[in-house]
Amino acid sequence: MNIMQPFTTQIDLHSGVFNPERQIIRRYLSDMQTTYADESAVQDILKQEGNRLVYEVHVTDLPEEEGQLLHCTTIIYPGRVGTEYHMTKGHYHSRRDRGEVYLGLAGEGYLVMQTETGETSTLSIQPGTAAYVPPYWAHRTVNTGVVPFVFFAAWAGEAGHDYGTIEQLGFAKLVVQHDGQVVVIDNAKYK
Ligand code: PAN
Ligand code: ZN
């Protein structure tokens, strides 16, 4: 067994920025061409405005192995693609029986979840909301506000990320703007 040194990270609770900064993963619209239900809206934005940064993840550089507790902040910038709000790609954990804890820090949004047996859940997250993603639930976060939506997450090192299943099947529920309101609707394209 490897004995690591304990450490701290100073997290700016408003921006989600880490100090010291270790690894930042940036997801641009061009990385998410099949994520949004309205694929023609994606192509229109890419042609007319160019690429845009949708979200970034500030992450500790811990080994992805059993016993570790990986943790990060995610910052989803405000915006929409068609009627759908900016969101993360979303994933199941490769080890389906591994859960996760989220803590809202700034801005507001939704945690959209579903199981492979057909259950769905959509929870509102605000600063101070701790949300539990139980084992077996795919999860995606959506920024429904007008400022960056920032949250902290911690999960088991051995969980792994399965993006492929969501890329193929999508999520059953979409969070969209309708008549100026945030609405959760069924995804007609959900397989
Ligand atoms: C989170 C997510 C993070 C980015 O830390 O990885 O919010 O979302 P995607 O991984 O779907 O791009 C988490 O759920 N980790 O397991
Ligand atoms: Zn996760």
Side-chain angles (χ1 to χ4, degrees):
M1 191 209 198
N2 243 349
I3 305 282
M4 286 179 56
Q5 288 304 306
F7 65 91
T8 61
T9 307
Q10 205 58 40
I11 299 176
D12 183 303
L13 298 182
H14 185 70
S15 67
V17 166
F18 269 30
N19 185 10
E21 202 62 88
R22 298 188 181 86
Q23 196 197 341
I24 304 178
I25 299 161
R26 292 191 173 87
R27 297 282 183 221
Y28 290 86
L29 187 58
S30 59
D31 304 320
M32 306 178 73
Q33 299 200 33
T34 57
T35 305
Y36 292 93
D38 187 348
E39 289 183 27
S40 66
V42 175
Q43 295 311 320
D44 287 349
I45 293 168
L46 291 175
K47 264 190 229 129
Q48 286 159 25
E49 281 177 31
N51 213 353
R52 61 161 87 144
L53 179 61
V54 177
Y55 66 100
E56 58 188 64
V57 184
H58 295 242
V59 66
T60 46
D61 49 359
L62 290 165
E64 293 196 25
E65 61 187 33
E66 192 145 357
Q68 301 287 354
L69 284 171
L70 305 189
H71 50 288
C72 73
T73 53
T74 303
I75 302 151
I76 308 177
Y77 292 99
R80 272 180 287 127
V81 175
T83 58
E84 211 172 356
Y85 290 98
H86 276 184
M87 60 192 183
T88 58
K89 289 181 167 211
H91 57 267
Y92 283 97
H93 289 154
S94 307
R95 295 270 307 259
R96 294 288 195 271
D97 58 351
R98 294 299 188 267
E100 183 156 357
V101 174
Y102 279 29
L103 175 65
L105 300 180
E108 60 182 325
Y110 282 92
L111 174 58
V112 179
M113 293 173 280
Q114 67 187 38
T115 66
E116 288 173 304
T117 50
E119 288 147 288
T120 61
S121 167
T122 308
L123 299 178
S124 162
I125 306 229
Q126 323 239 327
T129 308
Y132 183 49
V133 181
Y136 303 103
W137 288 79
H139 40 288
R140 154 180 290 164
T141 39
V142 185
N143 183 348
T144 52
V146 294
V147 296
F149 175 36
V150 183
F151 59 91
F152 177 84
W155 68 100
E158 73 278 15
H161 293 92
D162 167 12
Y163 291 102
T165 303
I166 293 299
E167 275 163 18
Q168 278 176 20
L169 306 180
F171 268 80
K173 299 285 180 186
L174 306 179
V175 185
V176 301
Q177 189 181 77
H178 186 72
D179 288 340
Q181 303 291 314
V182 181
V183 189
V184 180
I185 60 167
D186 288 333
N187 179 7
K189 288 188 179 164
Y190 181 61
K191 295 166 201 142

